[in-house]
């Protein structure tokens, strides 16, 4: 039908991602990078998984997207009292260089983790400060 296809992924299944890229079944990928390496299991709430295997899969997906001939973005939702400027800088160094990195401000409401349901999002000024610190690592660095 000619529709363009966007895939939203957490990067945990690089073999499937590679298949979709090779078969040209997707046109755009948005991949969540939840946290710096040392906070990853806490960020995804799976403390019983192997951190090494999870990070290997995520890093493989990062590499696949950087090498692919399709548009993509990496993005992180910055959660107050969990992620801060230093965490985003660590993520930026981990995933650089890349075409596009988006920092998304956390929006409270119905959340899986109830402790975040009433958390106040960071001020825009703080997010701008973070973006300014990391934008040299990316072709495009946006706030959403």
């Amino acid at each position: 039908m000619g529709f363009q296809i966007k895939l939203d992924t957490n990067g945990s299944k690089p073999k499937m991602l590679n298949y979709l890229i090779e078969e040209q079944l997707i046109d755009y990928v948005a991949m969540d990078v939840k946290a710096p390496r040392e906070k990853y299991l806490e960020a995804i709430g799976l403390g019983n998984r192997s951190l090494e295997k999870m990070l290997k899969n995520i890093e493989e997906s990062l590499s696949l997207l950087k090498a692919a001939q399709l548009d993509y973005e990496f993005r992180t939702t910055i959660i107050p009292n969990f992620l801060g400027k230093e965490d985003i800088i660590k993520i930026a160094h981990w995933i650089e260089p890349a075409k596009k990195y988006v920092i998304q401000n956390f929006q409270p409401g119905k959340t899986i983790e109830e402790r975040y349901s009433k958390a106040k999002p960071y001020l825009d000024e703080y997010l701008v400060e973070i973006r300014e610190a990391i934008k040299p690592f990316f072709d495009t660095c946006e706030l959403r």
Side-chain angles (χ1 to χ4, degrees):
M1 296 179 69
F3 294 117
Q4 291 201 323
I5 306 297
K6 174 188 173 211
L7 174 69
D8 289 281
T9 182
N10 63 11
S12 64
K13 305 282 186 198
K15 288 181 184 171
M16 177 56 74
L17 180 60
N18 188 53
Y19 170 79
L20 295 171
I21 292 169
E22 284 186 351
E23 296 298 317
Q24 299 179 348
L25 297 173
I26 51 179
D27 300 293
Y28 190 88
V29 177
M31 182 176 151
D32 288 322
V33 181
K34 305 284 189 188
R37 290 178 181 103
E38 65 273 9
K39 287 187 170 182
Y40 227 88
L41 288 181
E42 183 181 358
I44 62 174
L46 297 174
N48 62 345
R49 287 220 176 152
S50 164
L51 177 60
E52 185 177 314
K53 182 176 186 210
M54 176 68 64
L55 292 178
K56 180 180 177 278
N57 287 344
I58 290 164
E59 288 171 353
E60 189 174 336
S61 293
L62 290 167
S63 294
L64 283 169
L65 289 173
K66 289 179 186 183
Q69 297 299 311
L70 77 152
D71 284 331
Y72 68 87
E73 70 182 52
F74 300 129
R75 64 185 181 205
T76 301
T77 300
I78 184 165
I79 302 169
N81 302 317
F82 179 67
L83 296 177
K85 181 178 179 180
E86 292 306 313
D87 294 307
I88 301 301
I89 290 171
K90 286 179 184 178
I91 293 169
H93 285 296
W94 180 24
I95 66 175
E96 69 155 315
K99 286 183 187 177
K100 185 176 183 180
Y101 183 53
V102 178
I103 302 167
Q104 301 179 141
N105 203 0
F106 176 79
Q107 297 301 314
K110 185 176 180 183
T111 61
I112 294 172
E113 285 284 335
E114 193 169 315
R115 63 185 164 148
Y116 295 120
S117 64
K118 294 183 182 174
K120 293 188 180 185
Y122 285 116
L123 297 175
D124 290 343
E125 294 83 7
Y126 182 62
L127 298 181
V128 168
E129 178 184 319
I130 295 170
R131 184 190 64 203
E132 292 304 307
I134 64 170
K135 73 180 186 180
F137 305 122
F138 307 102
D139 293 346
T140 303
C141 187
E142 295 180 359
L143 301 176
R144 191 175 287 154

